[in-house]
């Protein structure tokens, strides 16, 4: 979710929950207290994908309590019926009716519905994607692929979604365009709404428009936020098609709506799913998003999900399933500089996307409640309430303040945010904020401050840096699979927006906005996956994920380890395999592929019961006769292992997707105290798609080694296939 919206959403969600759960004292209170549930069932006898909707609905109806239970039920009680993401339905039930349904043969689980939070002009160049060179020039721009987004809707009139130069959608497309009288085009080929009220999938929040244009927006010249960050905007896959499934509103995203959107996207024929939403960690059979994305993976659909905005604390991830790409957020090498100059001569570099004329030296006040702030520069703390600098700025402006200095939260380290403020402002990091705060509180010096705007700077260092808010591993649901998988741009991302931003009197620029969150990083990877898919249409989701992970880089532009928000080296629980490198991901050389059967055995190895595995995978009696593999045995492009074990011996299998005749040698990089070997240490291929298996052996003193990180890399010429290792 855009961090600027967090407080408003939290308040609205709390209000909605209070309204939703307040008990009524009506005579028929049990009936009037119906709530929404999602019922997951086994398939009916003789089920086939071609079974008619009416027959499937008749089957679903057989699980409901008879009308004699006291309520006159409508002829069609279902809110949604599902057949692709899950087999089941959403329905309003009382507690008594839930007990009845739960006990019915064929019912696998009943879930109470809940809200899930919603979690550019320069990023293509930063990632090596350019129309006059780089990956775009050599392999195309995602042509022929369809990206489906589960989000808040889309502003279909925005120039990012025009269809100049686009080809018609692929023949497999089965979706619909439900924008009322407005028509879809060859870029935006579909749109449906599943959020409450069933209004057209028009974006009245901004989030969906921003993520859609980040993934696959068309080229828009002269894009900027209030004249800053100026350039030609484009998504990662400018020639890919888009389909929007509105499953969220300003309130958040109801789980039942999300599953309905997943169900539709799978049925419609999307190639890529971009999901910038996610809640707290749950076991996979309890997480409908994990279940629905498993169904998408089975159909060959690649899924990119936000890692979450709960960093920098460890173990805070969302969307942890190994069959999805879990994406963290990083900064890029661009700053919209707003220099704060104090009366004592000191200067501090902050950021702002609104850059009017320089603000001359004025009295400096610390906090709004410090007395009369009219005509002053007001220094304000960002507390834990979720208030954004923009919202605080509106309050400062209403109080007569002439300008504002936003103090970043202590946890944010060196991260700064370029927001479209409503008055002259600068966001400074908490290190600088501490010095400004001390100066501002010393009233005997009559403190003053000015703000000097220096426009947009490119090539700033260090970059990339992990965003402080980006959720960290280890995974709670599956610690033995390294998550997040990857990081990508998620700070101050400029992309399409449906509304005007900044002061009411600002110039009427084409509508773009600069916002931050892992919501912004996930669609970058969705678009990159679409580019890869357009070149390699036969690759599985796991193959695309492997290509992205093994070609990622773990060093910044200065060839030094990627840093976290405090400028310390970032570990793999922050960056996963590293920062995405699209130009190399197109041709990874080797891939680690994983099929549905492996995921099933992996779930068995996690200790899930047959019934729990069936809930996720649709496979009955999957763990029969003790069939299972450990997390480490999953053919994943990374390795994570508990330090208490003291050793690990696992196989990995790679497929040659590079030169037919090639010989890869291994390079192992592990810290002192960890013994590592790869056998064989050379892989010789004589043909394309040839498969080779090797053994990874690790050992360490469990009494001495509590955490260690390293990697092993297969090298052939310019092909570098790297896999991170974490002992934790």
């Amino acid at each position: 979710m855009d961090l600027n919206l967090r407080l408003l959403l939290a308040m609205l969600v709390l209000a909605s929950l209070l309204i939703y759960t307040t008990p009524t004292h009506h005579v028929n209170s049990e009936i009037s207290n119906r709530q929404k549930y999602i019922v997951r069932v086994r398939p009916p006898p003789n089920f086939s994908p071609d079974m008619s909707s009416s027959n499937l609905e008749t089957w679903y109806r057989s699980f409901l309590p008879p009308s004699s239970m006291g309520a006159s039920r409508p002829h069609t009680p279902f809110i949604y019926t599902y057949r692709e993401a899950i087999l089941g339905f959403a329905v309003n039930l009382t507690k008594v009716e839930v007990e009845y349904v739960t006990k019915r043969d064929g019912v696998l689980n009943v879930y109470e519905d809940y809200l899930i939070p919603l979690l550019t002009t320069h990023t293509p160049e930063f990632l090596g994607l350019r129309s006059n060179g780089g990956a775009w020039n050599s392999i195309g721009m995602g042509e022929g692929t369809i990206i489906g987004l589960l989000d808040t809707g889309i502003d279909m009139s925005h120039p990012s979604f025009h269809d100049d130069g686009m080809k018609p959608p692929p023949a497999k497309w089965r979706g619909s365009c439900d924008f009322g009288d407005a028509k879809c085009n060859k870029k935006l080929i579909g749109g449906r709404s599943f959020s409450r009220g069933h209004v057209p999938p028009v974006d009245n929040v901004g989030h969906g428009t921003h993520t859609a244009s980040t993934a696959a927006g068309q080229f828009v010249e002269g894009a900027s936020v209030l004249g800053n960050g100026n350039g030609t905007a484009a998504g990662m896959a400018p020639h890919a098609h888009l389909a929007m499934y509105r499953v969220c509103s300003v309130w958040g995203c109801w789980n039942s709506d999300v599953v309905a959107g997943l169900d539709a996207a799978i049925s419609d024929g999307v190639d890529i799913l971009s999901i910038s939403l996610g809640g707290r960690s749950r076991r996979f059979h309890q997480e409908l998003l994990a279940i629905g994305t498993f169904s998408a993976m089975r159909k060959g659909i690649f899924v990119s999900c936000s890692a979450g905005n709960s960093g920098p604390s460890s173990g805070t991830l969302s969307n942890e399933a190994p069959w999805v790409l879990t994406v963290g957020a990083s900064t890029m090498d661009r700053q919209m500089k707003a220099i704060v100059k104090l009366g004592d001569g000191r200067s501090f570099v902050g950021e702002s996307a609104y850059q009017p004329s320089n603000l001359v030296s004025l009295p400096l006040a610390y906090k709004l409640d410090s007395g009369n702030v009219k005509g002053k520069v007001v220094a304000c703390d960002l507390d834990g309430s979720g208030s954004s600098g923009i919202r605080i700025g509106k309050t400062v402006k209403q109080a007569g303040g002439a300008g504002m200095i936003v103090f970043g939260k202590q946890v944010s380290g060196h991260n700064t945010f370029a927001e479209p403020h409503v008055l002259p402002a600068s966001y400074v990091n908490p290190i600088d904020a501490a010095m400004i705060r001390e100066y501002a509180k010393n009233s005997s010096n009559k403190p003053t401050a000015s703000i000097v705007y220096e426009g947009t700077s490119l090539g700033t260092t260090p970059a990339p840096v992990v965003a402080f808010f980006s959720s960290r591993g280890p995974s709670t649901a599956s610690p033995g699979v390294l998550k997040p998988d990857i990081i990508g741009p998620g700070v101050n991302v400029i992309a399409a927006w449906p509304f005007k931003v900044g002061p009411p009197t600002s110039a009427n620029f084409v509508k773009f906005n600069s916002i931050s969150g892992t919501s912004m990083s996930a669609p970058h990877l969705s678009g990159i996956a679409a580019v890869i898919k357009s070149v390699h249409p036969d690759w599985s989701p796991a193959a695309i994920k492997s290509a992205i992970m093994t070609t990622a880089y773990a060093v910044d532009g200065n060839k030094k380890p990627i840093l976290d928000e405090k400028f310390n080296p970032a570990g793999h629980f922050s960056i996963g395999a590293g920062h995405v490198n699209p130009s190399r991901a197109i041709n990874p050389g080797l891939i680690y592929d994983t099929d549905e059967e492996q995921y099933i055995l992996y779930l068995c190895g996690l200790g899930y019961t047959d019934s729990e595995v069936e809930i996720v995978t649709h496979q009955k009696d999957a763990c029969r006769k003790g069939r299972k593999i450990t997390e480490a045995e999953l053919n994943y492009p990374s390795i994570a292992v508990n330090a208490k074990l003291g050793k690990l011996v696992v196989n990995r299998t790679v497929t040659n997707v590079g030169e037919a005749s090639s010989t890869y040698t291994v390079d192992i990089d592990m810290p002192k105290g960890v013994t590592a070997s790869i056998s064989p240490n050379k892989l010789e291929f004589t043909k394309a798609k040839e498969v080779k298996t090797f053994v990874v052996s690790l050992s360490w003193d469990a009494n001495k080694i509590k955490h260690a990180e390293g990697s092993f890399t297969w090298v052939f010429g310019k092909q570098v296939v790297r896999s991170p290792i974490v002992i934790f």
Side-chain angles (χ1 to χ4, degrees), residues 99-110:
E99 293 177 7
Y100 175 92
V101 172
T102 302
K103 295 176 182 177
R104 300 281 290 165
D105 288 341
V107 171
L108 291 169
N109 211 349
V110 179

Side-chain angles (χ1 to χ4, degrees), residues 624-635:
R624 63 187 179 279
K625 298 181 181 178
R627 297 168 68 246
K628 63 182 180 180
I629 60 174
T630 65
E631 294 166 288
E633 290 175 308
L634 189 65
N635 198 42

Side-chain angles (χ1 to χ4, degrees), residues 640-708:
V641 58
N642 193 310
K644 294 179 181 179
L645 295 177
K647 66 178 181 179
L648 178 71
V649 179
V650 290
N651 292 345
R652 284 291 186 271
T653 300
V654 290
T655 304
N656 181 24
V657 294
E659 292 184 31
S661 180
S662 53
T663 300
Y664 287 80
T665 56
V666 74
D667 178 40
I668 303 173
D669 179 18
M670 292 300 295
K672 184 178 180 180
V674 179
T675 301
S677 65
I678 306 287
S679 179
N681 59 11
K682 183 183 293 186
L683 300 177
E684 297 183 3
F685 296 94
T686 58
K687 58 184 177 181
K689 297 185 179 181
E690 188 176 358
V691 176
K692 297 281 186 180
T693 297
F694 58 91
V695 180
V696 181
S697 300
L698 304 169
S699 63
W700 60 94
D701 187 336
N703 294 318
K704 295 180 180 179
I705 302 292
K706 305 301 179 184
H707 189 95

